[in-house]
Amino acid sequence: MDDIPMVDDSPEALLPHQNFSVDVVLGSDESKATGSSISPNEGPLFKSDYFEENEIVIVENFKKLYPHVDFKKQQIPRCWNTTDRYHSLNISTDLLKVRYKGIMPSRQVAIAMRLLGKGQTHKDAAAVRANCPIPKTCGVYYFEVLIASKGLNGYMGIGLSERNVNLNRLPGWDQISYGYHGDDGNFFASSGKGIEYGPTFTTGDVVGCGINFVTREIFFTKNGINIGVAQRNIPIINDLFPTVGMQTMDEMVDTNFGQKPFIYNIQADIEAAERLTINSIRNMELPQERAIWMNRAISTWLAHEGYSQALESFNKATGLTETEAKESLENRKNLSKLIISGKVSEAIKIVEEFYPHLMDENKQLSLLLKTQQFIEMLRNINNQDTSSMNGSSHSTSHTSNSEPLALDLSSLSSRSAPSTSRGNGSKRQNLKRRSSQEDEHRQSPRRALHETVPTDFRNGNSSHSEEPMDVGPECTNGNSVSTTNGCSAGLSSTTIITEPIDGEANGDIVDLTVDGLLPPNTGLTNGYSKTELLPFEKYQPLIEFGQDTFSLFKQVRDCPSQLVTRMNDAFSLICYTDLNQSDKTYLFEQSQRELVANALNSAVLQHLGKENVSPLDKYIVKAHHLREKVLNTTGGAVYADVNRMVFGDSPK
């Protein structure tokens, strides 16, 4: 229906006397001014058929529809806004159903209303907007409206509008407002005069409205069929809200914002928009000078990553020359292979042979490699334990192979205090002392050897005199109590040796020292016999290596918090009787080996006077920043995800 100017001449004189109250039918001025946003006592008929109780289902549906939206930072329209509506509308308690106020009048009243002009002018129009604007990261956004009742005349509009558009109007009549109207099938775009667009719609029809931010087009559907593009070149700098409007009595709509499956297959439009974006990028032809620039970037990246054969073929095809000796490239390639296969000690030997000063000059790299070597040593111990369990194993998803991460300390179960539950559900062994008489047991209060290293390493060394770190089950999982943003604020040692409080020791109880030295002629250590402790001798080299690694840490200047956390996490793993109980087993994932291999490769390149980050990697990072910068202003940017286009990663 076109926007009809206000009629000043009143037709009231033409009406015969009617025994009815206008206030009852239309609502008094007072009720209009103070009308409730949520309709009270509407009964079961005023509840949405699209309501979904399960919030998890709703969130999953939205994530499937709009995988590029960051739902932690952005909202998605999912209901009508009770505070952003015209007072003539009632909204159901589930915020999905909207009805023009009042009840369907009798035939006599309807005739009177028509004579009065009620519902015939824009004065009676009322609209409501959704709870939030549509994020442009949707790429293609869509919602559907069921016409629950066309009401008196079916003067209804469905579309989009900007936040400042007058709500006493049907969508499409004002600037930055768009609407498809049911009474005449016309489309209105920022104008009171519509254009022919599609079929009319009435009770029982499902009308959908979509906006494609890539093509900047608005389209509508009816009963699952796309009617076509209604408007092109939509300005998308302004925020747009899903909007519905009504004008006559008892008009009512129900809304599906995506919490339930749509009738229309919107996924096809989303996929088409993504293909359009990707194809436009891939079909872009670079000028000759840019093509040479890109070829050099690719060649440098292949050399940086150690793809020697691919580099040789690529340079031959493009006429480029290699900038690094083949022997040097092969050395870096072999180093990466050794790290990825878990042979860190062999890699360190090669580094010391071919790049003798690298480890001394780069203490951070040295600490990273030593920490990884500690992880591999613990992995090997675990694998040996697994192979000796007579086929009994427990799988874990954290390892890069099929071996489980489980340390069997069951031999101590009869001598240990009850396991103490930890915050993450894991357990550790509490060793207690025992007298030389097998039938007498006593629990001794004890304190763990504990060290705290200050975080200030600006001079490269600490100003205190700690002993090297001891590693073992009496630890506090390798981190200090005080943490900031998930990173350790200080370093706490861990220990498998408990120390008696002064005056506690006696001739029957002997402590196992840090060095593992046992007093002569003693059959017991720390309350356990040598035979009982024999299975744990395999941890002695690991403990000593951990102490050496911790000593190296003290020499690192301004050690990055990520590296400190990594070292602490690695040390904490020895505390667990069952590694599956620890949340630090991410260190056993193959991706962590790759991380160390990449770090070593970059350090070697820098040591050789080359860029430790390839130009192509820098361009990819820059492309990410540019995409983020224009994401909320350029629709196509949502699908121009470099990681997904180049590496096939999930949407980000």
Side-chain angles (χ1 to χ4, degrees), residues 98-404:
V98 183
R99 183 167 72 179
Y100 200 93
K101 281 186 180 180
I103 59 173
M104 175 66 77
S106 64
R107 182 175 180 276
Q108 189 179 33
V109 173
I111 294 173
M113 290 175 63
R114 288 193 180 96
L115 291 173
L116 283 168
K118 201 63 183 175
Q120 299 293 319
T121 72
H122 64 77
K123 177 183 177 181
D124 305 302
V128 60
R129 280 184 282 265
N131 63 303
C132 65
I134 304 167
K136 296 175 181 64
T137 48
C138 288
V140 177
Y141 178 80
Y142 180 78
F143 70 102
E144 288 183 342
V145 172
L146 167 67
I147 311 302
S149 172
K150 77 165 190 174
L152 188 62
N153 294 322
Y155 294 159
M156 313 170 76
I158 298 166
L160 308 169
S161 68
E162 194 260 347
R163 71 172 68 246
N164 295 317
V165 171
N166 189 352
L167 291 172
N168 190 200
R169 311 273 281 173
L170 291 183
W173 283 351
D174 292 329
Q175 288 295 315
I176 318 179
S177 178
Y178 312 93
Y180 171 33
H181 291 196
D183 61 303
D184 54 17
N186 287 349
F187 174 72
F188 294 76
S190 305
S191 172
K193 297 296 180 181
I195 59 173
E196 292 185 7
Y197 172 63
T200 61
F201 51 84
T202 186
T203 302
D205 288 331
V206 175
V207 179
C209 174
I211 178 169
N212 189 325
F213 288 106
V214 175
T215 60
R216 294 169 56 195
E217 296 173 340
I218 291 178
F219 64 94
F220 294 89
T221 67
K222 179 182 176 182
N223 298 328
I225 299 175
N226 195 323
I227 303 173
V229 176
Q231 180 81 11
R232 290 182 169 86
N233 299 319
I234 298 292
I236 61 174
I237 190 171
N238 299 96
D239 287 335
L240 293 173
F241 295 71
T243 308
V244 295
M246 308 173 200
Q247 191 167 313
T248 59
M249 288 300 165
D250 216 35
E251 293 174 347
M252 183 164 56
V253 298
D254 201 355
T255 320
N256 182 8
F257 287 101
Q259 68 274 14
K260 296 279 190 179
F262 293 125
I263 293 179
Y264 177 68
N265 180 20
I266 188 61
Q267 195 62 41
D269 292 71
I270 295 173
E271 292 172 359
E274 184 171 15
R275 284 196 303 271
L276 178 65
T277 302
I278 293 175
N279 289 338
S280 64
I281 295 174
R282 289 177 175 171
N283 294 334
M284 185 180 297
E285 293 187 8
L286 295 175
Q288 183 63 26
E289 61 273 15
R290 285 295 181 182
I292 296 174
W293 163 80
M294 181 58 73
N295 288 340
R296 285 175 179 166
I298 295 173
S299 176
T300 304
W301 182 83
L302 290 171
H304 185 279
E305 298 298 315
Y307 295 111
S308 55
Q309 295 181 357
L311 174 65
E312 185 177 355
S313 299
F314 183 83
N315 286 346
K316 185 177 180 180
T318 57
L320 298 175
T321 57
E322 297 180 12
T323 59
E324 181 182 4
K326 189 173 183 179
E327 181 182 1
S328 175
L329 193 151
E330 288 296 332
N331 285 339
R332 292 191 293 106
K333 183 178 179 180
N334 290 334
L335 284 173
S336 295
K337 285 183 177 180
L338 289 172
I339 297 293
I340 290 174
S341 62
K343 301 175 181 178
V344 182
S345 58
E346 294 183 31
I348 292 176
K349 290 179 181 179
I350 293 178
V351 170
E352 292 173 342
E353 178 182 354
F354 288 95
Y355 317 104
H357 303 295
L358 176 58
M359 299 282 279
D360 291 332
E361 294 173 356
N362 195 333
K363 295 292 186 181
Q364 291 183 13
L365 172 69
S366 181
L367 180 59
L368 177 63
L369 291 175
K370 293 291 186 181
T371 300
Q372 187 63 29
Q373 188 173 355
F374 180 92
I375 294 168
E376 299 298 348
M377 291 171 68
L378 182 57
R379 188 201 301 265
N380 290 335
I381 292 174
N382 175 73
N383 290 345
Q384 292 170 8
D385 287 346
T386 303
S387 62
S388 64
M389 292 175 67
N390 297 324
S392 175
S393 63
H394 305 280
S395 63
T396 177
S397 60
H398 296 289
T399 55
S400 61
N401 46 42
S402 59
E403 290 85 351

Side-chain angles (χ1 to χ4, degrees), residues 452-459 461-462 464 466 480 482 484 487-491 553 556-561 564:
T452 301
V453 180
T455 56
D456 187 359
F457 285 95
R458 288 188 293 270
N459 297 322
N461 50 51
S462 59
H464 58 291
E466 299 91 335
S480 67
S482 174
T484 303
C487 296
S488 173
L491 292 176
F553 161 74
V556 180
R557 294 172 179 261
D558 299 320
C559 190
S561 61
V564 175

Side-chain angles (χ1 to χ4, degrees), residues 415-428:
R415 304 288 201 276
S416 63
S419 297
T420 302
S421 296
R422 306 184 67 179
N424 59 5
S426 62
K427 298 181 179 179
R428 67 184 185 193

Side-chain angles (χ1 to χ4, degrees), residues 441-641:
H441 300 269
R442 67 182 178 89
Q443 176 71 44
S444 301
R446 48 190 86 225
R447 56 188 174 88
L449 292 174
H450 190 81
E451 299 174 328
T452 301
V453 180
T455 56
D456 187 359
F457 285 95
R458 288 188 293 270
N459 297 322
N461 50 51
S462 59
S463 59
H464 58 291
S465 57
E466 299 91 335
E467 293 298 323
M469 189 203 73
D470 303 316
V471 185
E474 288 291 330
C475 72
T476 56
N477 80 5
N479 293 318
S480 67
V481 175
S482 174
T483 59
T484 303
N485 296 330
C487 296
S488 173
L491 292 176
S492 299
S493 70
T494 58
T495 176
I496 62 169
I497 307 302
T498 54
E499 182 181 49
I501 296 177
D502 294 341
E504 176 187 333
N506 56 49
D508 293 330
I509 301 177
V510 181
D511 281 327
L512 180 65
T513 66
V514 170
D515 295 328
L517 301 177
L518 303 177
N521 303 320
T522 303
L524 293 173
T525 58
N526 205 35
Y528 294 93
S529 68
K530 290 182 178 180
T531 302
E532 289 174 313
L533 290 176
L534 185 61
F536 301 98
E537 288 184 355
K538 59 192 171 188
Y539 292 104
Q540 189 67 24
L542 181 65
I543 294 170
E544 293 173 354
F545 186 82
Q547 293 169 347
D548 292 340
T549 302
F550 188 73
S551 297
L552 172 63
F553 161 74
K554 296 179 182 180
Q555 305 171 31
V556 180
R557 294 172 179 261
D558 299 320
C559 190
S561 61
Q562 300 95 323
L563 182 53
V564 175
T565 300
R566 186 181 185 87
M567 181 186 69
N568 282 339
D569 288 352
F571 289 158
S572 74
L573 287 170
I574 202 172
C575 302
Y576 290 86
T577 59
D578 181 0
L579 292 183
N580 295 307
Q581 302 270 348
S582 172
D583 60 353
K584 305 300 187 296
T585 51
Y586 73 91
L587 293 169
F588 291 97
E589 294 175 357
Q590 188 66 17
S591 61
Q592 298 301 309
R593 286 176 170 176
E594 295 170 358
L595 182 151
V596 176
N598 291 335
L600 175 57
N601 185 52
S602 296
V604 171
L605 284 168
Q606 188 175 26
H607 183 72
L608 296 174
K610 300 181 179 296
E611 289 187 276
N612 62 344
V613 179
S614 72
L616 190 59
D617 284 324
K618 293 180 181 179
Y619 300 149
I620 289 177
V621 171
K622 187 174 183 179
H624 280 298
H625 290 316
L626 289 174
R627 176 177 177 264
E628 292 296 324
K629 189 174 182 179
V630 302
L631 201 54
N632 291 319
T633 57
T634 305
V638 67
Y639 300 121
D641 187 340

